[in-house]
Amino acid sequence: MALPFARSLRLWGWAAKRWGGATRDARRGITFKLEEKTAHSSLALFRGDTGVKYGLVGLEPTKVALNVERFREWAVVLADTPVTSGRHYWEVTVKRSQQFRIGVADVDMSRDCCIGADDRSWVFSYAQRKWHTMLANEKAPIEGIGQPEKVGLLLDYESQKLSLVDVSQGSVVHALQADFRGPVVPAFALWDGELLTHSGLEVPEGL
């Protein structure tokens, strides 16, 4: 079940206003931090809310109660900057986690669901040394990327695509066709170790 519709409308208006001037620098992507109020209680943010660590004990219990925006069942955290248009690129250092999902999700996706398990999130999953795309709990294997220290994500809102980028080669490994209907945000899930995000980057030449 999504968050209240009225909130979705407010977020849409806020995002549209925020990104009204984005065309002035078409190659520069969004700058974001991770939104603590969305983070599951097993997760802890670090390095100015740009990184996330998994642990059996994450946030203090007093911060968890009475927050409808927090993920309740799954170790997920969302970014704080919605996207409603344009092309945006960011990178994620993944070398310290062996099981994670990275991608984008509707801002108001159900907080009882994991990203990749519903049809309102689009992710790339890494587990057991293998990469997959995930949408509505359906997996498809990705070849040719191995176990890099860092990967890139390229979001093209108008083309309805999310691409996994090989940072060392500067090339797209796999493009996932999406169905964006409103604001989406970078989304992350992990079950060990840590992830570190790098945003505010220009879209690499040739992508």
Side-chain angles (χ1 to χ4, degrees):
M1 181 179 181
L3 294 181
F5 183 65
R7 178 176 175 272
S8 297
L9 288 177
R10 289 198 300 272
L11 281 168
W12 178 273
W14 176 85
K17 181 179 179 181
R18 180 182 178 108
W19 291 106
T23 55
R24 289 194 298 268
D25 188 358
R27 295 196 63 81
R28 186 165 297 281
I30 57 171
T31 297
F32 64 81
K33 292 187 176 182
L34 304 179
E35 189 86 83
E36 185 277 333
K37 65 183 178 182
T38 68
H40 183 266
S41 60
S42 65
L43 302 178
L45 306 185
F46 68 100
R47 199 170 293 186
D49 293 347
T50 62
V52 57
K53 295 180 180 181
Y54 177 81
L56 293 178
V57 178
L59 296 168
E60 295 181 11
T62 54
K63 293 185 178 181
V64 176
L66 302 178
N67 186 353
V68 297
E69 296 191 59
R70 192 177 304 286
F71 282 85
R72 293 177 282 274
E73 303 294 332
W74 299 91
V76 175
V77 62
L78 303 180
D80 63 358
T81 306
V83 173
T84 59
S85 65
R87 300 176 80 237
H88 304 276
Y89 176 78
W90 61 94
E91 295 178 349
V92 186
T93 298
V94 298
K95 64 181 179 180
R96 291 192 173 94
S97 180
Q98 297 298 312
Q99 188 175 3
F100 58 85
R101 298 176 189 178
I102 54 177
V104 298
D106 281 359
V107 293
D108 61 349
M109 73 167 285
S110 171
R111 278 13 181 197
D112 293 317
C113 190
C114 188
I115 57 172
D118 67 350
D119 64 354
R120 305 316 312 154
S121 57
W122 301 266
V123 305
F124 299 103
S125 169
Y126 183 80
Q128 298 178 337
R129 299 184 179 181
K130 295 180 180 180
W131 286 89
H132 293 83
T133 62
M134 284 197 72
L135 173 62
N137 234 17
E138 296 284 335
K139 288 185 177 182
I142 301 174
E143 305 293 341
I145 188 170
Q147 191 176 7
E149 291 190 359
K150 184 188 294 184
V151 296
L153 290 177
L154 176 62
L155 169 64
D156 189 328
Y157 193 94
E158 281 75 20
S159 295
Q160 302 273 296
K161 286 184 180 179
L162 179 70
S163 299
L164 180 65
V165 176
D166 183 329
V167 172
S168 64
Q169 300 293 324
S171 60
V172 170
V173 177
H174 188 91
L176 179 60
Q177 193 65 45
D179 179 27
F180 305 137
R181 303 174 190 173
V184 295
V185 289
F188 309 86
L190 69 160
W191 291 271
D192 78 329
E194 64 185 52
L195 301 174
L196 182 63
T197 67
H198 313 273
S199 64
L201 307 177
E202 290 188 357
V203 177
E205 293 287 345
L207 293 185

